Amino acid sequence: MSHFRFTDMMRFRGILSTDYSGAGGVEQMFAMSLAGFKARGVDVELNSVTVHSATDIDKHCLQVLTGSVPGPAHVFNDLRSKLPKRAREKLEELRPDIPHVKANAVPLAEAYSSMGNCIGKRLKIMFTKDAVAGCLKHGCDCPVEPDKGGKDDTWISNISGVACTPWSSYGKRLGWGDKMSEPYHVWVGERVARQEDFIGLENSPY
């Protein structure tokens, strides 16, 4: 993205959501972007950007996100926890019950691919506009989807880092046959359903 496009975008109000991006990774990214642009003489202010929600499964990250000030407005503990009950039940039906080992990588990948296709055919059921989920920051159900409040000068974005363990040395390197393929397919389905103004996804092969 060029300096000019970035500065034009930052003239508007922005609402961010992030999934599996660690302990405030998105907020840090924007802070570093701000410092980088200012170092090049480009005056950019990020005060108009708010973080609607952060979702993670790592206990340490959840502790940091829940206690951070200002931090995200809402903190959820799993991508799947934000789905309606019947959607979670459907995922459970589709979940492969064979051992997650290298020898089964191909049939596992095929099973998760079928799950992704199923999610794609049920977007309206799985990702409802009025969806709520248990928020760790407030101890009650909170809205999953950001709301522009009827304002045309507001952009919505999701910048995430879906788990790298299927490909990195931290996992079994089962690729698409890894259990973490399931939340990835959920993340992709949600992006298609929500139609944010722009999205970003980070992953690591190491």
Side-chain angles (χ1 to χ4, degrees), residues 7 9 17 35 40-41 46 51 58 60 72 78 88 94 101 104 113 117 121 123 128 159 163 166 179 189 195:
T7 52
M9 181 183 75
S17 291
R40 289 163 176 78
L46 299 181
V51 181
D58 181 83
H60 172 70
D78 195 317
R88 295 197 303 271
L94 296 168
V101 295
N104 294 332
S113 178
N117 291 333
K121 294 176 182 178
L123 295 178
T128 57
I159 300 177
K179 291 180 179 180
Q195 290 292 299

Short mmCIF file of all heavy atoms in Angstrom, two decimals, residues 7 9 17 35 40-41 46 51 58 60 72 78 88 94 101 104 113 117 121 123 128 159 163 166 179 189 195:
data_model
loop_
_atom_site.label_atom_id
_atom_site.label_comp_id
_atom_site.label_asym_id
_atom_site.label_seq_id
_atom_site.Cartn_x
_atom_site.Cartn_y
_atom_site.Cartn_z
N THR A 7 -2.50 7.11 3.99
CA THR A 7 -2.92 8.35 4.66
C THR A 7 -4.36 8.71 4.32
O THR A 7 -5.10 9.21 5.15
CB THR A 7 -1.99 9.52 4.27
OG1 THR A 7 -1.91 9.60 2.85
CG2 THR A 7 -0.61 9.32 4.85
N MET A 9 -6.73 6.56 3.73
CA MET A 9 -7.55 5.63 4.50
C MET A 9 -7.66 6.08 5.96
O MET A 9 -8.72 6.01 6.58
CB MET A 9 -6.95 4.24 4.44
CG MET A 9 -7.74 3.18 5.20
SD MET A 9 -6.92 1.57 5.17
CE MET A 9 -5.58 1.87 6.34
N SER A 17 -10.78 -6.02 13.81
CA SER A 17 -10.93 -7.24 14.58
C SER A 17 -9.73 -8.11 14.25
O SER A 17 -9.15 -8.01 13.16
CB SER A 17 -12.23 -7.97 14.22
OG SER A 17 -13.35 -7.25 14.66
N ALA A 35 5.06 4.74 13.38
CA ALA A 35 6.45 5.19 13.58
C ALA A 35 7.21 5.20 12.26
O ALA A 35 7.98 6.12 11.97
CB ALA A 35 7.14 4.29 14.59
N ARG A 40 9.52 8.73 7.82
CA ARG A 40 9.68 9.10 6.41
C ARG A 40 8.98 10.41 6.08
O ARG A 40 8.79 10.75 4.92
CB ARG A 40 9.14 7.96 5.54
CG ARG A 40 10.04 6.73 5.57
CD ARG A 40 9.32 5.49 5.06
NE ARG A 40 10.21 4.33 5.00
CZ ARG A 40 10.56 3.61 6.05
NH1 ARG A 40 10.10 3.95 7.25
NH2 ARG A 40 11.37 2.58 5.91
N GLY A 41 8.59 11.13 7.12
CA GLY A 41 7.99 12.43 6.92
C GLY A 41 6.53 12.42 6.53
O GLY A 41 6.00 13.43 6.05
N LEU A 46 -3.33 7.65 14.12
CA LEU A 46 -4.10 6.42 14.24
C LEU A 46 -5.13 6.48 15.36
O LEU A 46 -5.68 5.46 15.75
CB LEU A 46 -3.16 5.24 14.48
CG LEU A 46 -2.13 4.97 13.39
CD1 LEU A 46 -1.28 3.77 13.76
CD2 LEU A 46 -2.81 4.73 12.05
N VAL A 51 -10.05 -1.17 18.14
CA VAL A 51 -10.03 -2.63 17.99
C VAL A 51 -11.31 -3.18 18.62
O VAL A 51 -11.48 -3.12 19.83
CB VAL A 51 -8.80 -3.26 18.65
CG1 VAL A 51 -8.79 -4.78 18.45
CG2 VAL A 51 -7.53 -2.65 18.07
N ASP A 58 -4.54 -19.20 23.08
CA ASP A 58 -3.40 -19.29 23.99
C ASP A 58 -3.73 -18.58 25.31
O ASP A 58 -4.16 -17.42 25.31
CB ASP A 58 -2.17 -18.64 23.34
CG ASP A 58 -0.95 -18.74 24.22
OD1 ASP A 58 -0.28 -19.79 24.19
OD2 ASP A 58 -0.68 -17.76 24.95
N HIS A 60 -1.87 -17.40 27.77
CA HIS A 60 -1.09 -16.19 28.05
C HIS A 60 -1.58 -15.01 27.23
O HIS A 60 -1.76 -13.91 27.76
CB HIS A 60 0.39 -16.44 27.76
CG HIS A 60 1.23 -15.20 27.84
ND1 HIS A 60 1.50 -14.55 29.04
CD2 HIS A 60 1.83 -14.45 26.87
CE1 HIS A 60 2.23 -13.47 28.80
NE2 HIS A 60 2.45 -13.39 27.49
N PRO A 72 -8.36 -4.42 23.01
CA PRO A 72 -9.60 -4.70 22.27
C PRO A 72 -10.82 -4.50 23.16
O PRO A 72 -10.77 -4.77 24.37
CB PRO A 72 -9.43 -6.16 21.86
CG PRO A 72 -8.50 -6.74 22.88
CD PRO A 72 -7.56 -5.64 23.23
N ASP A 78 -12.08 -18.43 21.23
CA ASP A 78 -11.97 -19.39 20.14
C ASP A 78 -12.83 -18.89 18.98
O ASP A 78 -13.93 -18.38 19.21
CB ASP A 78 -12.45 -20.78 20.58
CG ASP A 78 -12.04 -21.90 19.62
OD1 ASP A 78 -12.14 -21.68 18.40
OD2 ASP A 78 -11.63 -22.96 20.09
N ARG A 88 -21.80 -25.01 15.54
CA ARG A 88 -20.77 -25.77 16.26
C ARG A 88 -21.07 -27.26 16.22
O ARG A 88 -20.16 -28.09 16.10
CB ARG A 88 -20.67 -25.28 17.70
CG ARG A 88 -20.20 -23.84 17.85
CD ARG A 88 -19.74 -23.54 19.27
NE ARG A 88 -20.76 -23.80 20.27
CZ ARG A 88 -21.66 -22.92 20.68
NH1 ARG A 88 -21.67 -21.69 20.14
NH2 ARG A 88 -22.53 -23.21 21.62
N LEU A 94 -18.73 -33.08 11.29
CA LEU A 94 -17.81 -33.17 10.16
C LEU A 94 -16.37 -33.44 10.58
O LEU A 94 -15.52 -33.75 9.74
CB LEU A 94 -17.85 -31.87 9.35
CG LEU A 94 -19.19 -31.54 8.68
CD1 LEU A 94 -19.18 -30.10 8.17
CD2 LEU A 94 -19.46 -32.51 7.54
N VAL A 101 -1.97 -38.12 12.55
CA VAL A 101 -0.56 -38.46 12.39
C VAL A 101 -0.20 -38.31 10.92
O VAL A 101 -1.07 -38.23 10.05
CB VAL A 101 -0.27 -39.91 12.86
CG1 VAL A 101 -0.49 -40.04 14.36
CG2 VAL A 101 -1.13 -40.91 12.10
N ASN A 104 -1.81 -40.22 8.04
CA ASN A 104 -3.21 -39.90 7.70
C ASN A 104 -3.37 -38.48 7.17
O ASN A 104 -4.50 -37.99 7.07
CB ASN A 104 -4.10 -40.08 8.93
CG ASN A 104 -4.20 -41.52 9.38
OD1 ASN A 104 -4.06 -42.43 8.58
ND2 ASN A 104 -4.44 -41.72 10.67
N SER A 113 -11.13 -30.26 4.09
CA SER A 113 -11.55 -29.56 2.88
C SER A 113 -13.07 -29.66 2.71
O SER A 113 -13.73 -28.67 2.35
CB SER A 113 -10.85 -30.16 1.66
OG SER A 113 -11.28 -29.53 0.47
N ASN A 117 -15.88 -26.67 2.56
CA ASN A 117 -16.95 -26.56 1.55
C ASN A 117 -18.32 -26.45 2.21
O ASN A 117 -19.18 -25.70 1.75
CB ASN A 117 -16.91 -27.76 0.61
CG ASN A 117 -15.68 -27.76 -0.29
OD1 ASN A 117 -15.14 -26.70 -0.59
ND2 ASN A 117 -15.25 -28.93 -0.71
N LYS A 121 -21.18 -23.28 2.11
CA LYS A 121 -22.58 -23.43 1.69
C LYS A 121 -23.56 -22.99 2.77
O LYS A 121 -24.77 -22.91 2.50
CB LYS A 121 -22.85 -24.89 1.31
CG LYS A 121 -22.07 -25.36 0.08
CD LYS A 121 -22.31 -26.84 -0.17
CE LYS A 121 -21.49 -27.32 -1.37
NZ LYS A 121 -21.67 -28.79 -1.59
N LEU A 123 -23.07 -20.11 4.97
CA LEU A 123 -22.57 -18.85 5.52
C LEU A 123 -23.63 -18.09 6.32
O LEU A 123 -23.35 -17.56 7.40
CB LEU A 123 -22.04 -17.96 4.38
CG LEU A 123 -20.80 -18.48 3.63
CD1 LEU A 123 -20.43 -17.52 2.52
CD2 LEU A 123 -19.63 -18.67 4.60
N THR A 128 -24.15 -15.09 11.55
CA THR A 128 -25.30 -14.18 11.58
C THR A 128 -24.88 -12.79 12.05
O THR A 128 -23.94 -12.65 12.83
CB THR A 128 -26.39 -14.72 12.52
OG1 THR A 128 -25.83 -14.90 13.84
CG2 THR A 128 -26.91 -16.06 12.03
N ILE A 159 -7.50 -8.33 10.61
CA ILE A 159 -6.09 -8.65 10.38
C ILE A 159 -5.72 -9.74 11.37
O ILE A 159 -5.78 -9.53 12.58
CB ILE A 159 -5.19 -7.41 10.57
CG1 ILE A 159 -5.59 -6.32 9.57
CG2 ILE A 159 -3.72 -7.79 10.38
CD1 ILE A 159 -4.81 -5.03 9.72
N ALA A 163 -3.26 -19.93 13.32
CA ALA A 163 -2.17 -20.76 13.86
C ALA A 163 -1.24 -21.34 12.80
O ALA A 163 -1.68 -21.87 11.78
CB ALA A 163 -2.76 -21.89 14.70
N PRO A 166 0.31 -26.11 11.79
CA PRO A 166 0.23 -27.13 10.74
C PRO A 166 1.45 -27.15 9.82
O PRO A 166 1.74 -28.18 9.18
CB PRO A 166 -1.04 -26.74 9.97
CG PRO A 166 -1.89 -26.04 10.96
CD PRO A 166 -0.91 -25.26 11.80
N LYS A 179 -5.39 -30.38 12.91
CA LYS A 179 -6.62 -29.96 13.58
C LYS A 179 -6.87 -28.47 13.44
O LYS A 179 -8.01 -28.02 13.44
CB LYS A 179 -6.56 -30.33 15.06
CG LYS A 179 -6.62 -31.81 15.35
CD LYS A 179 -6.55 -32.08 16.84
CE LYS A 179 -6.63 -33.58 17.11
NZ LYS A 179 -6.55 -33.88 18.57
N GLY A 189 -14.44 -18.60 6.06
CA GLY A 189 -15.88 -18.49 5.87
C GLY A 189 -16.43 -17.21 6.45
O GLY A 189 -17.30 -16.55 5.85
N GLN A 195 -17.63 -9.70 4.71
CA GLN A 195 -17.30 -8.75 3.63
C GLN A 195 -16.71 -7.45 4.18
O GLN A 195 -17.18 -6.35 3.89
CB GLN A 195 -18.54 -8.46 2.79
CG GLN A 195 -19.01 -9.62 1.91
CD GLN A 195 -18.04 -9.95 0.79
OE1 GLN A 195 -17.77 -9.13 -0.08
NE2 GLN A 195 -17.51 -11.16 0.81
#
